Amino acid sequence: MEQIDFVKSVKDEIKDKNLKYVILTFGCQLNENDSEKISGMVEEMGYTKTETFEKADLVIFNTCCVRENAEERLFGKLGEIKKMKEERNTIIAIGGCMMQEQSMLDKIKKSYRYVDIVFGTHTIQTLPEDLYKVIVKNEKVKEVWDIDGEIIEGLPIKRNDKYRASVTIMYGCNKFCSYCIVPYVRGRERSRNPEDILNEIRELAKEGYKEITLLGQNVNSYAKDHFKYCKPEVKSEIDTFAKLLRAVCSIEGIEKVKFMSPHPRDFTDDVIEAIRDCPKVSRMIHMPLQSGNSKVLKEMNRGYTKEQFLELAEKMKSGIPNLHLSTDIIVGFPGETEEEFEDTLDVVRKVEFEQIFMFIYSMREGTRAAAREDQVSEEIKHQRFDRLKELYDGQVEKQNESYIGTIQDILIEGSSKNDETKYTGRTDSNKVVVFEPNGKEKIGDITKVKITENHKWFLSGEII
Ligand code: SF4
């Protein structure tokens, strides 16, 4: 039977029962995008969405294993819904990259036997079959496929937003940073056929989507695998990330293009030129630094030095007018000394990132960094985190002031959470802006807003 036959069988089986599902997503935008595909399939089978666990007949967890607290949250929730399972026979399914870790899979099988379905990062397309087995045959499904699965196209998708959409362009990662579990659980880099990507975006444009975020663990490694996981064979001139970016920007109706995440090591000149030449590409580029010290970067296996990162940031800023950079930084990597941490602060002072996602190093079992004996104490890690935050907060204050009086193009996302009479949206550099409606512009429009005030965590302005 094909997956479409399982969809029909489940649909027939649950017809007229008004069954509901809830999905809880942990982790990054890639996982959010997977959850949209899972929702698309489940709704095609006849389930409707609820946000309430108590009302759900099917509970799906889409997990992430990049940070430790996701495990705690998952097991906490599983404990909570055990009673629901006993009372209403709720079906429980767990997917995502945490399930690609053997130790986690073993734990679920041993201690959480009431879980019905476990699926991996690239077996989401078999969810109809898995549900069929549980509902019709009363079997549990707890097998996870090999991590280098082929690329499956054409899954239904239920998007969470009407104007902004994420499109995954590649899966997996080949970089093996020494602290990161992703290459072990998401497999090798596998690029999608550019024509499939472009067709998906053309459809989104027809549906009224205006902003597209291209997703991948390393988007600028796109096509370096020569599309060997695509079937049928790829015949396209689009064989680099820069060319894909240009092609996406040429799609009529799409007004803003973002991408997440690039790797500094692969940020080649052709990508810089494509951004410079395409005004639709956001001028806020994410460039994960992780550490500002060359020795630590080497131990992280990042493939660049402090000097090379600074040089790249400078080249990008001088090559692309109005560029803003955001970054990720890990504090307290094993063995990080005070002087090495100072180098990170030095890079932050020099580059003046618009946004910093700061993380305290946490051990991921199975990685090289976790096996090191020179772990930094929790106390020092927290002290360094606070120092970095203090430096960054001061920079944000200064940057916000520089927005006063400027005119920004803002996509109206909806009503402000704190004041429903006002609209909210974001600048190209991701600053939240709150402003009064003018009676003409509506949600989903892109409008010009003059920034008038700085409120530290958001800006306010007026439509002009
Ligand atoms: S580039 Fe490094 S941090 Fe990013 S997903 Fe790959 S291994 Fe992990």
Side-chain angles (χ1 to χ4, degrees), residues 172-183 189 217-218 263 290 300-302:
C173 177
N174 291 353
K175 294 284 191 290
F176 287 93
C177 298
S178 64
Y179 52 84
C180 181
I181 193 86
V182 166
E189 287 173 1
Q217 302 292 349
N218 275 302
H263 194 295
Q290 309 301 10
M300 286 178 162
N301 196 30
R302 291 291 295 169

PDB file of all heavy atoms in Angstrom, residues 172-183 189 217-218 263 290 300-302, ligand 1:
ATOM      1  N   GLY A 172      20.309  17.762   6.908  1.00  0.00           N
ATOM      2  CA  GLY A 172      21.558  17.191   7.414  1.00  0.00           C
ATOM      3  C   GLY A 172      22.718  18.162   7.459  1.00  0.00           C
ATOM      4  O   GLY A 172      22.595  19.348   7.114  1.00  0.00           O
ATOM      5  N   CYS A 173      23.860  17.665   7.915  1.00  0.00           N
ATOM      6  CA  CYS A 173      25.048  18.503   8.055  1.00  0.00           C
ATOM      7  C   CYS A 173      26.306  17.636   8.005  1.00  0.00           C
ATOM      8  O   CYS A 173      26.325  16.542   8.550  1.00  0.00           O
ATOM      9  CB  CYS A 173      24.983  19.244   9.400  1.00  0.00           C
ATOM     10  SG  CYS A 173      26.453  20.244   9.688  1.00  0.00           S
ATOM     11  N   ASN A 174      27.328  18.166   7.331  1.00  0.00           N
ATOM     12  CA  ASN A 174      28.605  17.425   7.230  1.00  0.00           C
ATOM     13  C   ASN A 174      29.700  18.026   8.097  1.00  0.00           C
ATOM     14  O   ASN A 174      30.850  17.615   8.006  1.00  0.00           O
ATOM     15  CB  ASN A 174      29.123  17.453   5.780  1.00  0.00           C
ATOM     16  CG  ASN A 174      28.258  16.649   4.848  1.00  0.00           C
ATOM     17  OD1 ASN A 174      27.342  15.971   5.287  1.00  0.00           O
ATOM     18  ND2 ASN A 174      28.545  16.717   3.555  1.00  0.00           N
ATOM     19  N   LYS A 175      29.387  19.044   8.889  1.00  0.00           N
ATOM     20  CA  LYS A 175      30.458  19.806   9.516  1.00  0.00           C
ATOM     21  C   LYS A 175      31.037  19.181  10.787  1.00  0.00           C
ATOM     22  O   LYS A 175      32.174  19.418  11.138  1.00  0.00           O
ATOM     23  CB  LYS A 175      29.960  21.233   9.848  1.00  0.00           C
ATOM     24  CG  LYS A 175      29.647  22.080   8.617  1.00  0.00           C
ATOM     25  CD  LYS A 175      30.921  22.573   7.969  1.00  0.00           C
ATOM     26  CE  LYS A 175      30.695  23.619   6.899  1.00  0.00           C
ATOM     27  NZ  LYS A 175      30.061  23.139   5.673  1.00  0.00           N
ATOM     28  N   PHE A 176      30.265  18.450  11.507  1.00  0.00           N
ATOM     29  CA  PHE A 176      30.734  17.788  12.739  1.00  0.00           C
ATOM     30  C   PHE A 176      31.441  18.745  13.705  1.00  0.00           C
ATOM     31  O   PHE A 176      32.566  18.495  14.117  1.00  0.00           O
ATOM     32  CB  PHE A 176      31.641  16.588  12.408  1.00  0.00           C
ATOM     33  CG  PHE A 176      30.867  15.420  11.870  1.00  0.00           C
ATOM     34  CD1 PHE A 176      30.696  15.255  10.504  1.00  0.00           C
ATOM     35  CD2 PHE A 176      30.294  14.501  12.738  1.00  0.00           C
ATOM     36  CE1 PHE A 176      29.949  14.189   9.993  1.00  0.00           C
ATOM     37  CE2 PHE A 176      29.553  13.430  12.244  1.00  0.00           C
ATOM     38  CZ  PHE A 176      29.393  13.277  10.863  1.00  0.00           C
ATOM     39  N   CYS A 177      30.783  19.838  14.055  1.00  0.00           N
ATOM     40  CA  CYS A 177      31.312  20.675  15.140  1.00  0.00           C
ATOM     41  C   CYS A 177      31.363  19.793  16.393  1.00  0.00           C
ATOM     42  O   CYS A 177      30.452  18.980  16.611  1.00  0.00           O
ATOM     43  CB  CYS A 177      30.395  21.875  15.365  1.00  0.00           C
ATOM     44  SG  CYS A 177      30.298  22.926  13.905  1.00  0.00           S
ATOM     45  N   SER A 178      32.399  19.977  17.195  1.00  0.00           N
ATOM     46  CA  SER A 178      32.667  18.969  18.233  1.00  0.00           C
ATOM     47  C   SER A 178      31.656  18.965  19.373  1.00  0.00           C
ATOM     48  O   SER A 178      31.626  18.058  20.174  1.00  0.00           O
ATOM     49  CB  SER A 178      34.073  19.169  18.793  1.00  0.00           C
ATOM     50  OG  SER A 178      34.142  20.411  19.443  1.00  0.00           O
ATOM     51  N   TYR A 179      30.796  19.997  19.443  1.00  0.00           N
ATOM     52  CA  TYR A 179      29.800  20.076  20.516  1.00  0.00           C
ATOM     53  C   TYR A 179      28.414  19.684  20.046  1.00  0.00           C
ATOM     54  O   TYR A 179      27.465  19.684  20.826  1.00  0.00           O
ATOM     55  CB  TYR A 179      29.727  21.527  21.048  1.00  0.00           C
ATOM     56  CG  TYR A 179      29.516  22.537  19.945  1.00  0.00           C
ATOM     57  CD1 TYR A 179      28.252  22.814  19.466  1.00  0.00           C
ATOM     58  CD2 TYR A 179      30.598  23.170  19.334  1.00  0.00           C
ATOM     59  CE1 TYR A 179      28.061  23.692  18.417  1.00  0.00           C
ATOM     60  CE2 TYR A 179      30.418  24.056  18.287  1.00  0.00           C
ATOM     61  CZ  TYR A 179      29.143  24.307  17.838  1.00  0.00           C
ATOM     62  OH  TYR A 179      28.952  25.166  16.780  1.00  0.00           O
ATOM     63  N   CYS A 180      28.271  19.380  18.750  1.00  0.00           N
ATOM     64  CA  CYS A 180      26.923  19.326  18.160  1.00  0.00           C
ATOM     65  C   CYS A 180      26.516  17.904  17.784  1.00  0.00           C
ATOM     66  O   CYS A 180      27.297  17.152  17.192  1.00  0.00           O
ATOM     67  CB  CYS A 180      26.883  20.234  16.933  1.00  0.00           C
ATOM     68  SG  CYS A 180      25.264  20.275  16.157  1.00  0.00           S
ATOM     69  N   ILE A 181      25.283  17.585  18.054  1.00  0.00           N
ATOM     70  CA  ILE A 181      24.762  16.229  17.826  1.00  0.00           C
ATOM     71  C   ILE A 181      24.082  16.104  16.454  1.00  0.00           C
ATOM     72  O   ILE A 181      23.828  15.010  15.967  1.00  0.00           O
ATOM     73  CB  ILE A 181      23.769  15.876  18.978  1.00  0.00           C
ATOM     74  CG1 ILE A 181      23.414  14.391  19.033  1.00  0.00           C
ATOM     75  CG2 ILE A 181      22.519  16.708  18.940  1.00  0.00           C
ATOM     76  CD1 ILE A 181      24.380  13.577  19.804  1.00  0.00           C
ATOM     77  N   VAL A 182      23.838  17.268  15.809  1.00  0.00           N
ATOM     78  CA  VAL A 182      23.028  17.266  14.581  1.00  0.00           C
ATOM     79  C   VAL A 182      23.528  16.302  13.494  1.00  0.00           C
ATOM     80  O   VAL A 182      22.745  15.523  12.955  1.00  0.00           O
ATOM     81  CB  VAL A 182      22.866  18.714  14.033  1.00  0.00           C
ATOM     82  CG1 VAL A 182      22.335  18.725  12.607  1.00  0.00           C
ATOM     83  CG2 VAL A 182      21.930  19.506  14.932  1.00  0.00           C
ATOM     84  N   PRO A 183      24.836  16.291  13.145  1.00  0.00           N
ATOM     85  CA  PRO A 183      25.245  15.376  12.069  1.00  0.00           C
ATOM     86  C   PRO A 183      24.974  13.903  12.396  1.00  0.00           C
ATOM     87  O   PRO A 183      24.780  13.091  11.489  1.00  0.00           O
ATOM     88  CB  PRO A 183      26.758  15.618  11.941  1.00  0.00           C
ATOM     89  CG  PRO A 183      26.965  16.972  12.515  1.00  0.00           C
ATOM     90  CD  PRO A 183      25.959  17.106  13.623  1.00  0.00           C
ATOM     91  N   GLU A 189      24.543  15.864   4.405  1.00  0.00           N
ATOM     92  CA  GLU A 189      23.859  16.937   3.678  1.00  0.00           C
ATOM     93  C   GLU A 189      23.145  16.374   2.453  1.00  0.00           C
ATOM     94  O   GLU A 189      23.753  15.640   1.665  1.00  0.00           O
ATOM     95  CB  GLU A 189      24.869  18.003   3.252  1.00  0.00           C
ATOM     96  CG  GLU A 189      25.324  18.829   4.434  1.00  0.00           C
ATOM     97  CD  GLU A 189      26.446  19.793   4.117  1.00  0.00           C
ATOM     98  OE1 GLU A 189      26.887  19.866   2.956  1.00  0.00           O
ATOM     99  OE2 GLU A 189      26.889  20.486   5.052  1.00  0.00           O
ATOM    100  N   GLN A 217      20.593  23.284   7.758  1.00  0.00           N
ATOM    101  CA  GLN A 217      21.606  23.413   8.820  1.00  0.00           C
ATOM    102  C   GLN A 217      22.763  24.278   8.338  1.00  0.00           C
ATOM    103  O   GLN A 217      23.418  24.954   9.109  1.00  0.00           O
ATOM    104  CB  GLN A 217      22.142  22.040   9.238  1.00  0.00           C
ATOM    105  CG  GLN A 217      21.081  21.088   9.728  1.00  0.00           C
ATOM    106  CD  GLN A 217      20.457  21.505  11.043  1.00  0.00           C
ATOM    107  OE1 GLN A 217      20.938  22.407  11.714  1.00  0.00           O
ATOM    108  NE2 GLN A 217      19.375  20.864  11.408  1.00  0.00           N
ATOM    109  N   ASN A 218      23.040  24.198   7.040  1.00  0.00           N
ATOM    110  CA  ASN A 218      24.129  24.951   6.403  1.00  0.00           C
ATOM    111  C   ASN A 218      23.679  25.378   5.030  1.00  0.00           C
ATOM    112  O   ASN A 218      24.098  24.800   4.042  1.00  0.00           O
ATOM    113  CB  ASN A 218      25.323  24.021   6.166  1.00  0.00           C
ATOM    114  CG  ASN A 218      26.184  23.921   7.360  1.00  0.00           C
ATOM    115  OD1 ASN A 218      26.687  24.911   7.849  1.00  0.00           O
ATOM    116  ND2 ASN A 218      26.352  22.703   7.810  1.00  0.00           N
ATOM    117  N   HIS A 263      26.901  29.059   7.146  1.00  0.00           N
ATOM    118  CA  HIS A 263      28.112  28.779   7.930  1.00  0.00           C
ATOM    119  C   HIS A 263      29.197  29.749   7.446  1.00  0.00           C
ATOM    120  O   HIS A 263      29.393  29.894   6.241  1.00  0.00           O
ATOM    121  CB  HIS A 263      28.546  27.338   7.688  1.00  0.00           C
ATOM    122  CG  HIS A 263      29.558  26.857   8.676  1.00  0.00           C
ATOM    123  ND1 HIS A 263      30.824  27.385   8.755  1.00  0.00           N
ATOM    124  CD2 HIS A 263      29.495  25.920   9.644  1.00  0.00           C
ATOM    125  CE1 HIS A 263      31.494  26.764   9.726  1.00  0.00           C
ATOM    126  NE2 HIS A 263      30.704  25.880  10.281  1.00  0.00           N
ATOM    127  N   GLN A 290      30.017  31.484  17.454  1.00  0.00           N
ATOM    128  CA  GLN A 290      30.216  30.442  18.491  1.00  0.00           C
ATOM    129  C   GLN A 290      31.305  30.795  19.496  1.00  0.00           C
ATOM    130  O   GLN A 290      31.080  30.749  20.680  1.00  0.00           O
ATOM    131  CB  GLN A 290      30.455  29.034  17.887  1.00  0.00           C
ATOM    132  CG  GLN A 290      29.440  28.594  16.847  1.00  0.00           C
ATOM    133  CD  GLN A 290      28.002  28.548  17.321  1.00  0.00           C
ATOM    134  OE1 GLN A 290      27.684  29.009  18.405  1.00  0.00           O
ATOM    135  NE2 GLN A 290      27.097  28.065  16.487  1.00  0.00           N
ATOM    136  N   MET A 300      36.464  23.439  18.470  1.00  0.00           N
ATOM    137  CA  MET A 300      35.046  23.270  18.098  1.00  0.00           C
ATOM    138  C   MET A 300      34.908  22.681  16.685  1.00  0.00           C
ATOM    139  O   MET A 300      33.811  22.344  16.269  1.00  0.00           O
ATOM    140  CB  MET A 300      34.323  24.624  18.121  1.00  0.00           C
ATOM    141  CG  MET A 300      34.033  25.174  19.492  1.00  0.00           C
ATOM    142  SD  MET A 300      33.227  26.799  19.300  1.00  0.00           S
ATOM    143  CE  MET A 300      32.497  27.009  20.926  1.00  0.00           C
ATOM    144  N   ASN A 301      36.001  22.662  15.937  1.00  0.00           N
ATOM    145  CA  ASN A 301      36.004  22.210  14.535  1.00  0.00           C
ATOM    146  C   ASN A 301      35.162  23.128  13.650  1.00  0.00           C
ATOM    147  O   ASN A 301      34.425  22.672  12.778  1.00  0.00           O
ATOM    148  CB  ASN A 301      35.491  20.765  14.428  1.00  0.00           C
ATOM    149  CG  ASN A 301      35.828  20.146  13.090  1.00  0.00           C
ATOM    150  OD1 ASN A 301      36.843  20.495  12.480  1.00  0.00           O
ATOM    151  ND2 ASN A 301      34.994  19.240  12.612  1.00  0.00           N
ATOM    152  N   ARG A 302      35.295  24.439  13.881  1.00  0.00           N
ATOM    153  CA  ARG A 302      34.466  25.371  13.127  1.00  0.00           C
ATOM    154  C   ARG A 302      35.059  25.727  11.762  1.00  0.00           C
ATOM    155  O   ARG A 302      34.366  26.228  10.893  1.00  0.00           O
ATOM    156  CB  ARG A 302      34.254  26.662  13.935  1.00  0.00           C
ATOM    157  CG  ARG A 302      33.401  26.477  15.159  1.00  0.00           C
ATOM    158  CD  ARG A 302      31.956  26.196  14.832  1.00  0.00           C
ATOM    159  NE  ARG A 302      31.300  27.309  14.173  1.00  0.00           N
ATOM    160  CZ  ARG A 302      30.091  27.225  13.590  1.00  0.00           C
ATOM    161  NH1 ARG A 302      29.447  26.075  13.550  1.00  0.00           N
ATOM    162  NH2 ARG A 302      29.552  28.274  13.021  1.00  0.00           N
TER     163      ARG A 302
HETATM  164  S1  SF4 B   1      27.430  23.371  11.367  1.00  0.00           S
HETATM  165 FE1  SF4 B   1      28.135  22.595  13.326  1.00  0.00          FE
HETATM  166  S2  SF4 B   1      26.661  23.496  14.785  1.00  0.00           S
HETATM  167 FE2  SF4 B   1      25.712  23.644  12.772  1.00  0.00          FE
HETATM  168  S3  SF4 B   1      24.473  21.799  12.586  1.00  0.00           S
HETATM  169 FE3  SF4 B   1      26.456  21.343  11.648  1.00  0.00          FE
HETATM  170  S4  SF4 B   1      27.649  20.399  13.270  1.00  0.00           S
HETATM  171 FE4  SF4 B   1      25.921  21.426  14.245  1.00  0.00          FE
END
